[in-house]
């Protein structure tokens, strides 16, 4: 039985959310590995690794370590309770977007299908 704590694998780029997760993991007694240059140490293969980052990074690390990724559904964010969102969040199809009054922030839910943008005049 492996008695080592879980490992949180983070991408090279420091972001507010990756730093917050790093702090939470350390506070919970986890080990944290920031994988510079996407280099996955072989010693992680025998550990309970949790991966956080952009989808390309997570897929790469999962393949290197033989992990199965678990991803939320594309509509998970609008389903969160309002107290966690601090803004209105809607899941819309491309045909529904032109009727939304501005200002709005648009971001694709799946990958990088288009760049995130702000429209001040609506759509």
């Amino acid at each position: 039985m492996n008695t080592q704590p879980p490992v949180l694998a983070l991408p090279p780029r420091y972001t507010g959310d990756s730093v917050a997760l790093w702090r939470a993991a350390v506070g919970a007694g986890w080990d944290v590995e920031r994988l510079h240059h996407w280099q996955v140490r072989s010693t992680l293969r025998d550990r309970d690794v949790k991966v956080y980052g952009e989808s390309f990074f997570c897929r790469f690390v999962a393949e290197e370590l033989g992990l199965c990724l678990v991803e939320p559904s594309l509509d998970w964010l609008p389903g969160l309770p309002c107290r966690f969102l601090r803004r209105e969040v809607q899941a819309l199809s491309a045909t529904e977007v032109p009727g939304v009054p501005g200002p709005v922030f648009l971001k694709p839910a799946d990958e990088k299908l288009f760049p995130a943008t702000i429209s001040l005049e609506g759509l």
Side-chain angles (χ1 to χ4, degrees):
M1 181 174 154
N2 187 350
T3 59
Q4 294 179 305
V7 178
L8 175 62
L10 296 172
R13 190 167 65 105
Y14 286 78
T15 61
D17 53 343
S18 75
V19 170
L21 285 170
W22 172 79
R23 287 183 178 139
V26 168
W30 291 25
D31 292 334
V32 178
E33 291 277 341
R34 194 163 288 272
L35 304 179
H36 298 284
H37 308 292
W38 290 25
Q39 294 174 345
V40 180
R41 293 185 305 120
S42 61
T43 56
L44 291 178
R45 295 191 198 294
D46 298 326
R47 300 286 303 273
D48 177 17
V49 179
K50 312 301 183 196
V51 185
Y52 174 81
E54 293 183 0
S55 59
F56 294 126
F57 172 79
C58 291
R59 286 188 191 116
F60 173 81
V61 174
E63 186 174 313
E64 289 288 307
L65 297 175
L67 302 174
C68 177
L69 292 178
V70 177
E71 297 185 67
S73 65
L74 295 179
D75 64 349
W76 74 273
L77 186 61
L80 289 177
C82 293
R83 68 183 183 276
F84 297 123
L85 296 174
R86 298 190 313 200
R87 65 182 60 92
E88 181 182 350
V89 176
Q90 297 179 41
L92 303 172
S93 69
T95 59
E96 295 172 299
V97 172
V100 176
V104 297
F105 174 74
L106 301 172
K107 184 175 181 181
D110 190 15
E111 301 297 331
K112 303 289 184 191
L113 300 176
F114 59 86
T117 187
I118 295 175
S119 172
L120 298 176
E121 299 181 20
L123 304 170

